[in-house]
Amino acid sequence: MTTCRGCSVRSLRSVSCAVLVVATAIAVTLGTTGAGVDAALLRVEGDLIESQDYGEVLASSRSQSIDFWDLPGFTRSHYAADHALVTPESRVFAGMPGWTNALTAHLVSRAKGANFVMFLADMQANSSATSPAAGTERLIFILDGVLQLNYDKHSIALHSDDFAYLPAHVPHSLQSSLGAGVLIFERAYGIQGGKAEVLIGSTSKQPVLDASPEIFTLRKLLPQTGDYDFNVHIMDFRPGEYLYVKEVHYNQHGLLLLQGQGIYRLADQWYPVQAGDAIWMAPYVVQWYAALGQKSSRYILYKDTTLDPLIAT
């Protein structure tokens, strides 16, 4: 059965997505993409479709799981000196310089003491964005819809579960004719003489790495070399799986739960979390996760890495 990834997120894109679903179903039945159907938009990948559905992250139902009319002032969000939990009902979307016909919600920023920013971009039809400030590197991860990335002489369509890393020295622009939901990480590039390159890929194409003694499935989106001062991990947990190590380290984290639910320990607090929840973790905060419920969990995680802890900022 063919599933539309974007329809549960924004009705603005539902008509276009419905057309793609019908076209995909016809193509699959005939064993061809068929005339007039853009193969780049079909993205039929069998049982991978369910694992790439991040519709819950931006779905309006995420903020309606509790009747807030009955609970004035209630939120699961929590702020502490060494961590923060930002749940969907607390997001504040607003315009941002460089973004046209799009709203952004910053989940982590330097105002909190982080060395990076992490934000959601709700790009409507015919939206666009320019490069960040000079010296800023950017990683974009597509949650739903279709995003066009333009750099040098390249123009590349990105779909749900695709990502792109743009080094600080590469001017680029983003466009979406139908709309897209995007997660973005940015930070000031901190490696003197580094030679980071443009990288474009999809989570499903990244190799699974050995994480022993952990039993979760780990993928990394960026190379583990000295040219990159952060990485982004995709971590999958089956129900009942949990982190073996109760971690305490100098690295900072920015996390967005893409699928599933569980319990996240941060310092001495234990938080029930679900798809759409975002977390910032300061250096040396105790952190631990267990996946609960009937669905597998997946989260995306920023981690500053490869830098000498003595000089890391």
Side-chain angles (χ1 to χ4, degrees):
M1 178 173 136
T2 304
T3 304
C4 170
R5 298 187 183 93
C7 292
S8 63
V9 181
R10 260 175 295 281
S11 60
L12 187 64
R13 299 199 278 274
S14 61
V15 174
S16 299
C17 288
V19 172
L20 289 177
V21 168
V22 172
T24 301
I26 293 173
V28 172
T29 302
L30 297 178
T32 177
T33 55
V37 179
D38 188 345
L41 296 181
L42 296 181
R43 304 281 293 180
V44 180
E45 298 176 276
D47 59 2
L48 288 178
I49 289 179
E50 182 178 354
S51 68
Q52 296 175 8
D53 181 5
Y54 305 137
E56 290 181 301
V57 172
L58 290 169
S60 60
S61 61
R62 261 292 154 250
S63 59
Q64 298 170 359
S65 58
I66 298 175
D67 189 344
F68 291 99
W69 289 108
D70 293 338
L71 295 170
F74 176 80
T75 177
R76 292 186 297 110
S77 295
H78 183 80
Y79 175 93
D82 55 7
H83 69 273
L85 170 66
V86 181
T87 55
E89 71 275 6
S90 299
R91 297 172 185 160
V92 178
F93 282 89
M96 191 168 87
W99 294 76
T100 301
N101 203 20
L103 297 176
T104 63
H106 277 69
L107 306 172
V108 180
S109 78
R110 298 189 68 177
K112 182 69 178 78
N115 61 12
F116 68 102
V117 297
M118 178 176 102
F119 62 95
L120 294 169
D122 185 356
M123 303 184 71
Q124 301 300 313
N126 301 314
S127 54
S128 63
T130 58
S131 300
T136 303
E137 55 189 329
R138 169 185 279 174
L139 186 140
I140 59 178
F141 183 87
I142 312 305
L143 298 170
D144 75 273
V146 182
L147 183 70
Q148 199 77 20
L149 167 64
N150 306 301
Y151 72 98
D152 294 336
K153 297 181 180 180
H154 304 285
S155 183
I156 300 171
L158 302 175
H159 304 75
S160 174
D161 212 41
D162 289 343
F163 68 91
Y165 168 78
L166 290 310
H169 64 276
V170 177
H172 62 276
S173 64
L174 309 175
Q175 294 176 309
S176 184
S177 59
L178 300 178
V182 186
L183 175 67
I184 297 180
F185 299 97
E186 293 177 350
R187 66 166 285 161
Y189 187 59
I191 300 179
Q192 190 74 22
K195 299 180 180 179
E197 300 179 347
V198 174
L199 296 168
I200 298 171
S202 182
T203 299
S204 62
K205 305 299 183 183
Q206 300 304 110
V208 174
L209 304 176
D210 180 22
S212 301
E214 304 288 1
I215 58 174
F216 61 80
T217 300
L218 172 65
R219 295 177 173 88
K220 297 186 179 183
L221 303 188
L222 299 181
Q224 301 176 69
T225 71
D227 292 320
Y228 301 86
D229 53 6
F230 76 93
N231 214 314
V232 173
H233 300 182
I234 304 293
M235 300 167 67
D236 293 299
F237 299 78
R238 291 175 296 184
E241 292 183 344
Y242 54 87
L243 290 174
Y244 176 80
V245 179
K246 285 64 70 177
E247 298 184 6
V248 177
H249 50 60
Y250 77 91
N251 310 92
Q252 295 190 34
H253 286 322
L255 179 154
L256 180 67
L257 194 60
L258 298 172
Q259 296 172 326
Q261 60 185 330
I263 297 290
Y264 224 106
R265 178 186 177 181
L266 299 167
D268 292 329
Q269 302 292 320
W270 301 73
Y271 298 100
V273 292
Q274 61 185 358
D277 290 351
I279 296 173
W280 172 69
M281 293 171 250
Y284 297 106
V285 64
V286 176
Q287 54 196 261
W288 179 85
Y289 178 70
L292 303 176
Q294 298 178 336
K295 295 175 58 177
S296 293
S297 293
R298 166 173 285 189
Y299 59 68
I300 183 169
L301 180 84
Y302 163 97
K303 181 177 183 179
D304 49 351
T305 185
T306 73
L307 293 177
D308 184 341
L310 182 63
I311 60 175
T313 58

